[in-house]
Amino acid sequence: MQNQVILIDHPLIQHKLTLMRRVETSTATFRMLIKEISLLLAYEVTRDLPLKYESIKTPIAPMNAPILAPDKKLVIVSIQRAGQGLLEGMLELMPSARVGHIGLYRDPKTLIPVEYYFKVPSDIDQRDVLIVDPMLATGNTAIAAVERLKSTNPLSIKFICLLAAPEGIQHFTEIHPDVPIYTTSIDDYLDEHGYIVPGLGDAGDRLFGTR
Ligand code: URA
């Protein structure tokens, strides 16, 4: 499990995450912070993108310069609705990435995910997938999303979140040991309603101001 969980503990991210967690943080500030964090996260999750070398001329001299390999194509898949917050910042940094949406809601009684929407690029089998969802709680939603996406045969899958519960990490890594989890914090535990403690509350409600 150790190698599968990548904890991104950059001080700027940790600072912004603390501001997001505060109960008094407004919807507008929460939204701004999640976008800023997702820009920083995008650097980390794309660290292994391959480069090729191209002959260019600077105003001073010719050189062989690194450039992103054009055949490495990405799709960012947002788990509705809170994934939207992470998606926006990532797209700013990777404007030519394609986008997929997966709608899964947690049945409040069973906490089991139910799919209500699924739309991904038709060439997903030639792309690497970055799934974004701020909260890895029970792991049920993330597991279902990965299962569904695996059925489309992408080249690879990474799961990216802000907060992860130890229970969710354990569950997820048991079912999908081949999918790395990028997170900015591993919190303490899940409460009886499936909320991450200390967490930041309901990410969707805080992002969209629905409570
Ligand atoms: N989803 C959320 O938005 N918050 C949690 O704490 C757990 C799941």
Side-chain angles (χ1 to χ4, degrees), residues 20 24 27 33 42 44 57 110 152 157 176-177 192:
M20 283 182 75
E24 66 271 23
T27 301
L33 289 164
E44 295 293 337
K57 273 191 201 151
T110 61
T152 65
I157 303 180
H176 297 298
E192 67 277 19

Side-chain angles (χ1 to χ4, degrees), residues 75-79 99-102 120 124 129-132 149:
V75 52
I76 307 170
V77 177
S78 162
I79 301 184
V99 175
H101 291 284
I102 178 159
V120 295
I124 194 168
V129 168
L130 306 173
I131 305 178
V132 292
L149 285 160

Side-chain angles (χ1 to χ4, degrees), residues 106 135 137 194-196 201-204:
R106 291 201 302 173
M135 313 298 270
Y195 279 96
I196 298 177
D202 186 297

Side-chain angles (χ1 to χ4, degrees), residues 30-69:
F30 189 92
R31 213 176 272 155
M32 182 189 78
L33 289 164
I34 199 169
K35 189 167 172 195
E36 290 174 359
I37 292 183
S38 56
L39 278 167
L40 298 164
L41 263 173
Y43 280 107
E44 295 293 337
V45 303
T46 52
R47 222 169 239 292
D48 57 354
L49 282 181
L51 293 168
K52 70 178 188 86
Y53 283 80
E54 188 173 286
S55 304
I56 62 159
K57 273 191 201 151
T58 77
I60 310 296
M63 75 172 285
N64 228 5
I67 193 156
L68 284 173

Side-chain angles (χ1 to χ4, degrees), residues 9-10 12 50 61 70 99 113 138 140 198:
D9 57 359
H10 191 288
L12 274 178
V99 175
T138 61
N140 289 338

